[in-house]
Amino acid sequence: MYSNSNSQANPINVEDYASLVKRIAHHMMLRMPASVQVDDLIQAGMIGLLEAAQKYDGSKGASFETYAGIRIRGAIVDEMRRGDWAPRSVHRNARRVSEAITRVEARHGRDADDSEVAAELGVELNDYHAMLRDANSSRLFSYEETFTDDAGASLSGESSEFDNPQDNITRESLKVSLSQAINQLPEREKMVLALYYDKELNLKEIGQILGVSESRVSQIHSQAASRLRSRLSDWTQND
């Protein structure tokens, strides 16, 4: 299957990039609910890959793999939105977790640990971890949405949701606030975010580095997301 890529001399064979779709799909599974299968993400990602092959313009300066990666992630996120897979109870629990973290940290003046937040919520630790897992898959805090929209717009030449000076200032302020909040996370949570988002490692690979199970990596990631949400409540209160 080929695309002329805006009539460029070298056509793009999308089959050569099928492995890219699979890698991104497996990577994004960390943020998906248990009901979602990796094949669902791969199917959505392939649509993004096809769109990338049709719209790619090499004159913009980005490699096709970079541009396709943005389109693939965007297509997967869009498909999950359309599926409306996160019930209202999940969003409510996400807010409850963030509010509990805020209360505990305000009371003790330090990072809240899992057992303290569970006690604040009045639930068992296993139930709290289940709440974290569900909340993590409910678009609590999306790095893809926060950071890649601008890149996707600039590479494709299309307008962004943030297409006026005031919106650009707002986005830059959010990035600064997010960066500061991440730097203040507990070391292990900060490391998981770095390995997942910067190094793009999957659950198994991160678990091997930290010496913990894949499920524990997921819990740490979810705890970090909830902690970030609580510390950036001014930005996320309208989610």
Side-chain angles (χ1 to χ4, degrees):
M1 194 177 300
Y2 293 85
S3 166
N4 288 330
S5 183
N6 294 340
S7 302
Q8 293 184 19
N10 297 321
I12 295 170
N13 183 359
V14 298
E15 292 180 357
D16 292 341
Y17 295 90
S19 60
L20 176 63
V21 175
K22 291 180 180 178
R23 178 166 60 82
I24 291 174
H26 281 280
H27 183 250
M28 293 184 70
M29 277 297 292
L30 174 58
R31 295 175 49 240
M32 301 299 161
S35 59
V36 173
Q37 302 297 315
V38 71
D39 287 346
D40 298 330
L41 305 190
I42 291 174
Q43 184 176 4
M46 286 302 298
I47 294 173
L49 176 60
L50 291 173
E51 291 176 348
Q54 293 168 356
K55 297 181 179 180
Y56 175 65
D57 183 353
S59 68
K60 300 293 184 181
S63 69
F64 176 72
E65 183 169 350
T66 297
Y67 177 71
I70 292 170
R71 285 283 178 176
I72 291 165
R73 288 182 177 86
I76 291 174
V77 170
D78 286 346
E79 179 61 27
M80 293 300 100
R81 283 175 177 161
R82 282 193 293 268
D84 192 22
W85 40 263
R88 290 183 179 180
S89 60
V90 170
H91 293 290
R92 285 196 299 270
N93 282 338
R95 287 183 172 84
R96 287 182 60 208
V97 169
S98 295
E99 291 166 358
I101 290 173
T102 298
R103 290 194 300 271
V104 171
E105 293 187 342
R107 190 158 59 240
H108 296 291
R110 56 169 174 75
D111 297 327
D113 63 34
D114 291 14
S115 59
E116 290 173 328
V117 180
E120 182 73 15
L121 291 167
V123 300
E124 297 294 330
L125 189 58
N126 287 340
D127 294 332
Y128 171 60
H129 286 157
M131 291 171 67
L132 279 180
R133 184 174 60 251
D134 290 341
N136 186 48
S137 56
S138 69
R139 199 161 61 88
L140 267 181
F141 207 88
S142 172
Y143 276 38
E144 283 79 12
E145 291 170 1
T146 302
F147 290 114
T148 63
D149 284 352
D150 286 343
S154 63
L155 294 178
S156 66
E158 299 170 0
S159 62
S160 168
E161 173 187 353
F162 293 83
D163 56 2
N164 65 61
Q166 183 58 50
D167 287 335
N168 287 332
I169 292 172
T170 298
R171 168 155 295 198
E172 289 306 312
S173 296
L174 170 57
K175 288 181 179 179
V176 170
S177 298
L178 175 60
S179 178
Q180 292 173 344
I182 290 173
N183 286 335
Q184 294 170 0
L185 287 174
E187 196 60 37
R188 177 164 285 200
E189 292 177 16
K190 193 184 329 183
M191 183 177 296
V192 167
L193 294 185
L195 293 173
Y196 180 71
Y197 291 102
D198 295 339
K199 302 301 182 182
E200 296 193 344
L201 301 184
N202 59 35
L203 283 174
K204 182 177 181 180
E205 292 167 335
I206 296 172
Q208 290 173 341
I209 291 174
L210 298 182
V212 299
S213 66
E214 293 181 38
S215 62
R216 182 55 184 156
V217 173
S218 181
Q219 290 169 6
I220 295 171
H221 178 276
S222 299
Q223 180 74 41
S226 294
R227 204 185 301 274
L228 286 174
R229 183 186 176 95
S230 73
R231 295 178 182 179
L232 295 171
S233 57
D234 289 344
W235 292 101
T236 60
Q237 62 185 356
N238 295 321
D239 285 1

